[in-house]
Amino acid sequence: MLRDSDGGGWTNPELASWFEDYAEVAFGLFGDRVKTWLTFNEPVSFCDVAYEGGKAAPGIALPGIGNYICAKVVMLAHARAYRLYDTKFRLQYRGKVGLTNHHLWCEPKNSDEEENAELMRNVMALYSYPIYSKTGGWPPSVEKRIAEISEQEGYSQSRLPPFTREEMEYIKGKEERLCTFDFYGLNYYTSRVVETAKPGENLTWVSLSGSSEFGLALTPDPSWKAGLAWLISYPPGIRRQLQWLKQKFGDIEFQIMENGYATSEPVMYDDERVNYYKDHLEQLLLAINEDKVFVTAYTAWSLMDNYEWNSGYT
């Protein structure tokens, strides 16, 4: 992985076109066999988490700036890859292309925190609005708040780079049939309760403790089933997240790309994991049958141990 100073990293605008070149190779080599494509998996991980602390690739800490530049470049790169498939490969291979976002379902700590909980839901949808919303662009409440904070900090413009009208239309499409998605990929593991942070509270995306940018703390409800570290089981969260996404982006196709449970100790009778899947699939069925959410796929994560972000082969 090249460092930003060497021309690599997702703060470099050139990566949008380089990614299109990469996608062309992948589509050409594997399009006859691969029929479901994800341009990106969890941009929140390699934009927000990576640039907040610099502990993930490319190893550079640019909190509040690098993550937002990264976000815009990724949105443009996704659109370029999608439109490439649409114009050059779709007729031949008949596949589908989308992007997967990781979501925490956010519950308010109390009735006074409902507006903050909704703000955090929109923060988690930063990489969704430009592609899936009817208007395009960043989530309005998030864009407004970052602009206000940037001005208070003395910046001449928002740290969240705006889209031009042409960029918004290129990513969203001038009309519905010219959009840049065939489905919405969702990774869901856990939920959090949202409340206003206490002065001096240390908040990071890496630990899922909250957002220092917005001054909001995230904590698990004590009644929820604790798993390994951050992974707290709250099955109703997956249904509520799907309801919210349908309300925001319409009756589109959803594919669950990751959902699962982690533990630290090997066990013979894996009741906790069995119950996690059972309870979440039950909520998913309710979303499909009662809420009429259009879900076409579910992936249990993971069938086998996998190579984690910074924990090696686990």
Side-chain angles (χ1 to χ4, degrees), residues 164-192:
T164 65
R165 174 55 56 184
E166 291 75 17
E167 288 171 336
M168 288 177 63
E169 291 182 350
Y170 184 74
I171 297 169
K172 178 186 70 70
K174 289 185 177 181
E175 51 189 278
E176 191 170 339
R177 66 181 182 85
L178 297 175
C179 65
T180 60
F181 69 90
D182 299 316
F183 61 89
Y184 191 111
L186 170 64
N187 293 351
Y188 173 85
Y189 290 96
T190 186
S191 298
R192 288 294 186 272

Side-chain angles (χ1 to χ4, degrees), residues 79-187:
R80 292 182 74 127
Y82 182 93
R83 297 205 179 283
L84 171 70
Y85 189 89
D86 214 30
T87 57
K88 190 171 181 179
F89 296 97
R90 187 180 299 278
L91 188 62
Q92 180 180 2
Y93 295 134
R94 307 286 181 178
K96 290 185 175 183
V97 181
L99 173 144
T100 293
N101 279 301
H102 179 110
H103 285 275
L104 294 172
W105 173 246
C106 295
E107 294 271 8
K109 179 80 171 180
N110 51 54
S111 59
D112 293 335
E113 298 285 0
E114 177 55 48
E115 185 177 339
N116 286 332
E118 181 66 10
L119 175 62
M120 284 306 301
R121 294 168 198 148
N122 280 292
V123 170
M124 296 299 297
L126 186 73
Y127 305 94
S128 305
Y129 265 81
I131 300 167
Y132 297 97
S133 70
K134 301 298 183 184
T135 57
W138 304 120
S141 60
V142 177
E143 187 172 34
K144 180 175 181 289
R145 184 72 66 87
I146 296 173
E148 290 171 349
I149 296 170
S150 299
E151 184 178 7
Q152 292 167 7
E153 294 171 337
Y155 288 93
S156 59
Q157 59 186 27
S158 176
R159 288 181 279 102
L160 179 64
F163 292 108
T164 65
R165 174 55 56 184
E166 291 75 17
E167 288 171 336
M168 288 177 63
E169 291 182 350
Y170 184 74
I171 297 169
K172 178 186 70 70
K174 289 185 177 181
E175 51 189 278
E176 191 170 339
R177 66 181 182 85
L178 297 175
C179 65
T180 60
F181 69 90
D182 299 316
F183 61 89
Y184 191 111
L186 170 64
N187 293 351

